[in-house]
Amino acid sequence: MGNREHAFRVRDILKEHHRWFGESLPLIASENITSLLVREVCASDFSHRYAEGEAGKRFYQGCKYIDEVEFLAIELAQKLFEAPYVNVQPTSGTVANLACFFALANAGDTMIALQVPHGGHISHAELSAAGVRGLKVKSFPFDEQEMNIDVDKAAKKIREVEPKLVLFGASIFLFPHPVRELSYVAKEVGATVMYDGAHVLGLIAGKQFQQPLKEGADVISASRHKTFPGPQGGVILAKEEYGKKLTRAVFPGLVSNHHLHHMAGFAVALAEMLEFGEAYAKQVVRNAKALAQALSEEGFDVLCEHKGFTESHQVLVDVAKQGGGTRVAEDLEKANIILNKNLLPWDDINKSANPSGIRIGTQEVTRLGMKENEMRTIAELIARVAIKGESTEKVKKDVAELRREFNQVQYSFDGMRSAYEYIEFF
Ligand SMILES: Cc1ncc(COP(=O)(O)O)c(C=O)c1O
C-alpha cells in the first residue's frame, strides 16, 4: 500500500468505526457523544492555531477570535458551575490534576486519596501524576459495603497524617463523597481540599450530584467528556484565592498551547448544558437506577442494592459468577454492547487483567434519547449474552434494531440531524 492509500485507509477505518458505533450500545462510563455543533467547531481552523498565555494576554498574534471564544467559555463555565475561577486550558483531566498538584502542594508533601481498586484514578497514585509531583499518597479508609469513604476512619487518618492535600473524587463513583463532613477536618490540619470531578462533571453541572465547592472543596479538577458532553480535555474550577497559582501551573507549567478547537467545542457544550443540563443529568441518573434494577432482576449481582444501587451515571456489577469481567466484557463486545471490565474493591490490584466486575455508564445512551424502558431492554440484551449464553450474532441484530430509533444527539441544539451523519460526510 502506498502513502496515498494509507492516508485514505485511515479515513475508511473511521467510517467503519462510525458505522460500528452507530449500531452499538455505547456504555463505557467515561465517554460521551458530542453534538454536531461541537463537532463542527472542533473541525475548525482553531485546530491549527497557537494561543499561548491567558486570553487577552497572548504571546502570539492572530488570537482575537480565539480570545473572544475563550472569554466566553470562561464566562459560561463560571455561570454553570457557580465557580469564581475557571481555567479551560488543561488538555485532559490528568493534566488538570497534575496542574492542581503543582499549584497546591510541594514535592515531598502528603496527599490522601482513594486507592485504584476503591475507585481512585491512576493519576491519584504515586506511579502516575501524584508521583510526578513527588507526592506521598496515603489512602482513604473505604467501606466496601457502602462503596464510599469511611467517614470516621478517614477523619482519624486526616488528623494523624496531616496531609497537605485531601483529594475526593474517583473513577468508580456511585455515591457522593463525604466532602462536607471531611472538609472541616481537612481545614483543621491546614489541608487544601481538592475534588476530582472528571466522572461526574455533567451531573454537577445539572445539579443532580453533590456541589463540591459549596460543600467545602477549594478546587475541582475534571475532564470535559464523561458525563459532561464536551470534546476531550480538562478544566479547573476553584475559589478565587487559588487562581494565580493554578493559572501559572497550567501555563507556563504544563501546557504551552491548549487545544483551541476543543476549547471552542467546550464553550458550545457549556451553553448546551446551561440550557439542557438539568434535564439531561436527571435522566442519566434515572436511567442508571433503572438499568441497575433491571440487571438485578435478570439475576446479576449489582452492587449496593441496599442503597438503591447508584446515585450517579454508573452501575457496578460483580460478574465473578458469569466468568469474570474480561470474559463478560469481551463476549458483550461481540454483540456490540460496549463496556469495560473493572476492579471491584475486594479485587487484588494484580488481578486487573481479569477483575471481578464490569462498570456501566448511562450518560451516552441517555444523550441519544434512551429512557427507563430502553434500560430494561439493555439489561435483557446483556443477560442474553452473559447469563443465557445466547448467540452473540442474534443479540447483535437486536442491538442494531434498538439503536435505529436512537441516533440523534438530544439535549443539544442539533435538531433532527443524525449523530452519525458524518458517515455520509466521509
Ligand atoms: C477520576 C478521574 N480523574 C481523571 C481522569 C483522567 O482524565 P483524562 O482521561 O481526561 O486525562 C479520569 C479518567 O478516566 C478519571 O476517572
Side-chain angles (χ1 to χ4, degrees):
M1 228 189 234
N3 291 333
R4 186 176 192 282
E5 285 75 20
H6 279 305
F8 280 92
R9 176 69 190 131
V10 173
R11 200 173 69 159
D12 288 344
I13 294 169
L14 287 177
K15 203 165 159 178
E16 284 166 34
H17 172 84
H18 284 187
R19 190 161 293 131
W20 182 34
F21 266 70
E23 300 169 349
S24 299
L25 283 171
L27 295 168
I28 303 245
S30 56
E31 298 178 353
N32 213 321
I33 185 165
T34 56
S35 66
L36 290 171
L37 192 56
V38 168
R39 287 210 226 175
E40 281 164 10
V41 160
C42 288
S44 71
D45 184 66
F46 273 22
S47 71
H48 310 135
R49 302 298 152 211
Y50 260 74
E52 286 186 354
E54 287 175 66
K57 294 186 224 163
R58 305 292 193 188
F59 290 85
Y60 284 67
Q61 301 314 120
C63 296
K64 67 177 173 184
Y65 295 114
I66 296 167
D67 281 357
E68 196 176 332
V69 173
E70 190 161 333
F71 279 128
L72 182 59
I74 292 168
E75 188 189 317
L76 294 172
Q78 281 171 327
K79 187 167 166 205
L80 182 61
F81 296 105
E82 299 175 65
Y85 171 83
V86 172
N87 192 313
V88 296
Q89 298 190 347
T91 47
S92 74
T94 300
V95 169
N97 277 346
L98 195 51
C100 292
F101 297 157
F102 271 91
L104 308 173
N106 294 310
D109 284 344
T110 303
M111 172 171 83
I112 293 192
L114 278 169
Q115 284 177 19
V116 171
H118 294 162
H121 185 247
I122 191 76
S123 60
H124 306 172
E126 282 182 23
L127 71 98
S128 178
V132 169
R133 179 52 175 140
L135 298 180
K136 292 187 216 120
V137 184
K138 304 274 180 202
S139 42
F140 265 131
F142 191 75
D143 185 332
E144 294 177 3
Q145 274 301 308
E146 297 297 301
M147 282 304 285
N148 211 332
I149 295 163
D150 183 314
V151 176
D152 293 337
K153 288 188 186 151
K156 191 161 169 263
K157 191 154 185 179
I158 293 169
R159 289 193 179 105
E160 263 167 33
V161 171
E162 298 191 349
K164 186 76 191 283
L165 260 182
V166 172
L167 174 59
F168 294 99
S171 306
I172 297 179
F173 212 167
L174 297 175
F175 303 102
H177 281 169
V179 176
R180 202 181 288 285
E181 295 86 332
L182 293 175
S183 288
Y184 284 108
V185 187
K187 296 291 157 192
E188 236 176 76
V189 301
T192 305
V193 178
M194 180 175 158
Y195 183 101
D196 181 341
H199 259 272
V200 291
L201 191 72
L203 307 181
I204 293 172
K207 308 280 189 275
Q208 302 305 308
F209 207 68
Q210 65 190 147
Q211 300 295 304
L213 291 176
K214 291 198 176 132
E215 293 176 21
D218 300 304
V219 178
I220 299 177
S221 61
S223 307
R224 314 192 286 226
H225 49 263
K226 302 179 195 286
T227 50
F228 196 93
Q232 293 185 337
V235 64
I236 300 173
L237 312 165
K239 293 181 178 159
E240 193 62 58
E241 61 263 40
Y242 297 91
K244 239 189 192 154
K245 279 190 176 170
L246 289 165
T247 300
R248 222 178 302 127
V250 175
F251 178 87
L254 290 162
V255 176
S256 83
N257 188 43
H258 49 306
H259 300 165
L260 307 170
H261 52 322
H262 279 203
M263 182 275 291
F266 184 45
V268 173
L270 284 162
E272 291 171 350
M273 287 299 276
L274 277 160
E275 183 82 10
F276 307 107
E278 196 173 325
Y280 170 58
K282 254 188 201 149
Q283 193 59 50
V284 167
V285 178
R286 271 196 211 128
N287 282 353
K289 285 177 183 288
L291 181 60
Q293 180 66 42
L295 284 167
S296 174
E297 284 164 15
E298 290 288 343
F300 284 103
D301 291 330
V302 184
L303 268 62
C304 287
E305 182 168 9
H306 68 292
K307 296 178 72 177
F309 301 109
T310 181
E311 286 174 30
S312 73
H313 60 304
Q314 292 186 7
V315 177
L316 220 53
V317 189
D318 185 339
V319 288
K321 278 194 228 149
Q322 284 80 34
T326 305
R327 174 157 167 213
V328 168
E330 286 177 3
D331 284 352
L332 288 171
E333 188 187 33
K334 290 183 201 140
N336 286 348
I337 300 171
I338 315 289
L339 47 72
N340 64 283
K341 60 181 181 241
N342 221 98
L343 283 171
L344 295 181
W346 41 89
D347 284 341
D348 187 324
I349 190 152
N350 299 316
K351 208 182 160 188
S352 53
N354 188 20
S356 317
I358 52 171
R359 187 185 63 170
I360 310 176
T362 55
Q363 70 295 333
E364 187 167 344
V365 287
T366 305
R367 195 134 157 89
L368 291 165
M370 294 193 190
K371 297 219 164 104
E372 286 89 331
N373 271 344
E374 287 72 42
M375 297 305 114
R376 284 184 275 278
T377 309
I378 291 175
E380 271 168 39
L381 291 164
I382 292 174
R384 282 169 62 191
V385 174
I387 293 183
K388 295 175 187 143
E390 252 189 60
S391 135
T392 49
E393 279 308 308
K394 239 170 110 188
V395 177
K396 192 197 240 180
K397 287 204 182 89
D398 293 339
V399 166
E401 190 58 38
L402 173 63
R403 272 307 306 274
R404 237 183 288 282
E405 288 168 50
F406 297 96
N407 61 13
Q408 288 162 351
V409 176
Q410 309 295 316
Y411 312 98
S412 74
F413 301 108
D414 279 359
M416 303 301 282
R417 293 165 70 189
S418 161
Y420 298 94
E421 74 178 29
Y422 277 75
I423 294 173
E424 315 312 327
F425 176 75
F426 277 127

